[in-house]
Amino acid sequence: PGSVQGDLGFEFRLPKALVGEGSVIFLYREGEKWVEVPAAALEAGAEHYTFSASAPYSGYYAAALRP
């Protein structure tokens, strides 16, 4: 009890203007390094894209763009 078991699921939106032609990645912090996990596109709205990703528990998470 009181601890996270397995991966956490995340859904996040990014503005289309920000994403452009880049590829979206999701990262979590593990010790002193950042670990990349795949981000899957869920839907495209008029102004935003919605993505999902799964990652283990961490104190830090980030969505980033790879050109």
Side-chain angles (χ1 to χ4, degrees):
S3 64
V4 176
Q5 302 292 318
D7 287 349
L8 302 171
F10 298 88
E11 284 191 12
F12 55 98
R13 292 184 342 160
L14 297 174
K16 284 185 171 181
L18 176 69
V19 174
E21 298 297 317
S23 110
V24 175
I25 59 173
F26 193 76
L27 305 144
Y28 67 94
R29 189 83 174 165
E30 184 176 74
E32 295 295 319
K33 64 179 180 164
W34 286 97
V35 179
E36 180 180 334
V37 294
L42 294 179
E43 68 180 312
E47 297 181 20
H48 294 88
Y49 293 114
T50 303
F51 297 90
S52 70
S54 294
Y57 174 78
S58 172
Y60 300 94
Y61 300 95
L65 295 174
R66 176 173 285 134

